[in-house]
Each structure stands twice: as structure tokens, then as C-alpha cells.
Amino acid sequence: MMKLALGPVLYYWPRDTMMAFYESVAASPVDIIYLGETVCSRRHELRLPDWLSLAAMLADAGKEVVLSTQALLESGSDLTNLRKLTSNGRFAVEANDIGAVHCLDRALPFVAGPHLNLYNEDSVALMAQLGARRWVMPLEMGRAALATMLKSRPAGLETEVFAYGRMPLAFSARCFTARHRNLGKDDCQFSCMAHPDGLELRTRDADTFLILNGTQIQSHLVYNLLGEMADMEAMGVDVMRISPQAQHTDAIVALFDRARLGQIGTAQAQAGLAPLMPAAPCDGYWHGKPGMAFDRREAA
């Protein structure tokens, strides 16, 4: 049976909100929890000692805990924080930047994160040689390419797929949320905190398009591979990742869990999921189509 993973919180939530969220997660059926700030180093509600304290609490609750690194490092202090995180001595690390892989230097097992963009068999094999125990498929990769790569996967290396949530598509040195308020990045006034699920970006025709999340751009639509669960398991995928959202994450995890246990069918799970989503679903990348597409036939 595939494991369920809860990805790192991608948004800037107040400290009390974050603490309450992880207290509830401790009792949830997720098997793996990723912790840490992956988007912006100016987000200081939780610092490394706080993350380590949460990691210990969740590990005591029986969860596999992985500390995630920032995807885009821009300063010496970012590098200092990266070195502290990768030398924590206890918890595995999700490397979202090749510098993190270098810092780990086989000292800890690690997860090759989605932002390493591992698009071919040789890259995955290299990560395995460097100590990776799991790799996360890039979000834009489709089922066909994954199936090819799984045929030559190194022995013992697990595969994880981002299965639910708004897709983190790109990062920039600029802060889009601050720019929206005509603020400089260094004087952002922590604008992200006003948008617990990111800031909606519309086209000139007022169509919903993307989500601004500080230095990160996300899809407006919600990637949803719940209907592909049986196919993924048959292919040999080991882990499905759910990306947290401000509301209903616990209910979403519960639906995925009941579907994987066979307690409900995927059609019933999809019906339960629909009112919990902040936007319409998409799964185009999985099917080799434009990312905004959604295969309603398979989801029915």
C-alpha cells in the first residue's frame, strides 16, 4: 500500500496557526511529514529550533519526519541556515537545491525534492549514489515519462508523486506579493501572511490564472491525482504527497486514506473532495496535456 505524505506548508501562517496545524497532523493517518520553510527566508514565525521541536513531537507520534530545505537560496545567511539544517544529526532532509545535496555529503539519508528537476534516469541514479532514499517526481512530468524511469529505478530508491495541491511552478528573486502592494522585497511587511492560500492573479480578461505566494508562483487550479491512485500503485509509486492548504487539510487526508484502504471508491472520494478544494481540479501534466486540463472521464 502506498504511503501518504504531507508536504511542507508553502504559505506564511502565524505561529499559533502553524503549531495548532501540526498538533492536529500528529493524530492524522499520514505516514510522512515534511517540515520547514521552502519559499522565503524572511518568514520567521518559526525558526530551526521550532522546526526541530515539531519534528521530535511528530516522530514521537510515529511519523516519519523530513526537514525540507529552501528551494532558492539568495544570501550568506540562507547558506548558513542550510548548513545548520543539513547537519541536524537526526532527521532526514528533503534537498530542494543541489547545494543541499552537497552539504549533506552522505551524512544523512535524504529525499531528492521536486525542485531538483530530475527528468531522466541518470539524474535519479546519481542522487541514489549520493545517498538519496527517495525522489520526488517533478510536477510537470507525466505518467508516461515516470513509467519509463521506474523501469530503471535504482534498487531501494522510493518514488514519491505530488498528488494533491496547488502546484509550486516557479521561484524568483523578486517577491510578487510585495510588488503587488508596491513594496520592496526587503520591506515586504510580511504581506504573505494576509493570504493563507496565496494571492490570486487574474488575466486582463479577469480569468483566474496563477497564485502569487511571495517569491513563488503556483497554479491556480488544484492538482488532483486521487483518481490515479490505483494506477500509481500498480506502476510502483511508493508515496503520494498532499500539499497543505489553509482549510480542510485533515478532511482531504482522511479521504485519500479511506480511498487507499479501499473503504470508499475513488468516485466517492472525488465527490467528497470537491467541496473542500479552493479551486477547480487539474491533472493535465500527468496525462501529457496542458497543465490546466482535467481528465473528467477517468475521475468519474
Side-chain angles (χ1 to χ4, degrees):
M1 184 173 63
M2 287 188 291
K3 296 179 181 177
L4 283 179
L6 191 67
V9 172
L10 300 179
Y11 308 104
Y12 195 27
W13 296 347
R15 178 185 178 87
D16 290 346
T17 301
M18 193 74 90
M19 291 297 187
F21 175 77
Y22 283 114
E23 286 179 7
S24 68
V25 164
S28 78
V30 293
D31 306 287
I32 304 165
I33 299 175
Y34 292 84
L35 295 174
E37 177 55 53
T38 62
V39 178
C40 178
S41 60
R42 287 182 56 79
R43 297 176 176 181
H44 291 153
E45 289 287 296
L46 275 70
R47 297 178 183 271
L48 182 56
D50 300 310
W51 292 119
L52 292 175
S53 177
L54 282 173
M57 181 272 289
L58 293 167
D60 289 344
K63 309 301 182 185
E64 177 189 334
V65 178
V66 183
L67 302 176
S68 296
T69 71
Q70 194 173 318
L72 178 63
L73 280 70
E74 301 181 75
S75 67
S77 61
D78 289 351
L79 183 57
T80 298
N81 290 332
L82 173 66
R83 287 172 171 153
K84 290 179 180 177
L85 189 147
T86 54
S87 61
N88 76 83
R90 176 179 177 185
F91 298 105
V93 171
E94 179 185 50
N96 284 313
D97 170 85
I98 198 65
V101 178
H102 177 73
C103 287
L104 286 160
D105 194 24
R106 296 181 174 81
L108 284 172
F110 73 92
V111 177
H115 304 302
L116 289 183
N117 294 321
L118 304 175
Y119 277 99
N120 58 65
E121 298 92 327
D122 291 342
S123 298
V124 171
L126 175 61
M127 288 299 113
Q129 292 171 15
L130 294 174
R133 71 182 188 198
R134 182 160 63 241
W135 73 289
V136 186
M137 185 183 82
L139 282 84
E140 295 91 341
M141 181 183 284
R143 179 195 181 283
L146 177 63
T148 299
M149 293 178 68
L150 287 175
K151 292 178 182 176
S152 59
R153 174 174 47 170
L157 183 70
E158 295 182 339
T159 299
E160 180 171 332
V161 172
F162 186 104
Y164 177 87
R166 280 177 158 148
M167 293 181 286
L169 297 173
F171 294 86
S172 170
R174 295 175 182 267
C175 176
F176 303 107
T177 306
R179 184 69 176 270
H180 173 73
R181 295 183 57 195
N182 290 321
L183 297 172
K185 182 180 178 182
D186 293 337
D187 182 32
C188 69
Q189 299 178 19
F190 308 107
S191 303
C192 290
M193 198 171 285
H195 308 284
D197 274 324
L199 174 62
E200 190 175 87
L201 175 67
R202 292 177 176 265
T203 67
R204 287 179 180 272
D205 297 323
D207 293 329
T208 54
F209 183 40
L210 297 169
I211 292 293
L212 306 181
N213 180 36
T215 59
Q216 184 184 71
I217 293 290
Q218 300 180 343
S219 64
H220 180 270
L221 299 178
V222 180
Y223 202 48
N224 177 11
L225 296 184
L226 191 152
E228 313 300 329
M229 188 177 293
D231 185 36
M232 283 193 283
E233 185 157 23
M235 291 172 64
V237 173
D238 302 284
V239 181
M240 294 180 294
R241 175 179 297 204
I242 296 170
S243 187
Q245 60 188 44
Q247 302 289 331
H248 309 307
T249 298
D250 53 347
I252 292 165
V253 167
L255 283 169
F256 269 82
D257 182 50
R258 293 185 67 193
R260 71 170 173 164
L261 293 173
Q263 296 175 351
I264 56 174
T266 54
Q268 184 179 353
Q270 291 281 23
L273 196 60
L276 307 178
M277 301 171 68
C282 66
D283 62 3
Y285 288 138
W286 179 258
H287 296 289
K289 298 177 181 177
M292 298 173 70
F294 183 57
D295 194 330
R296 297 180 185 279
R297 177 179 57 79
E298 293 192 20

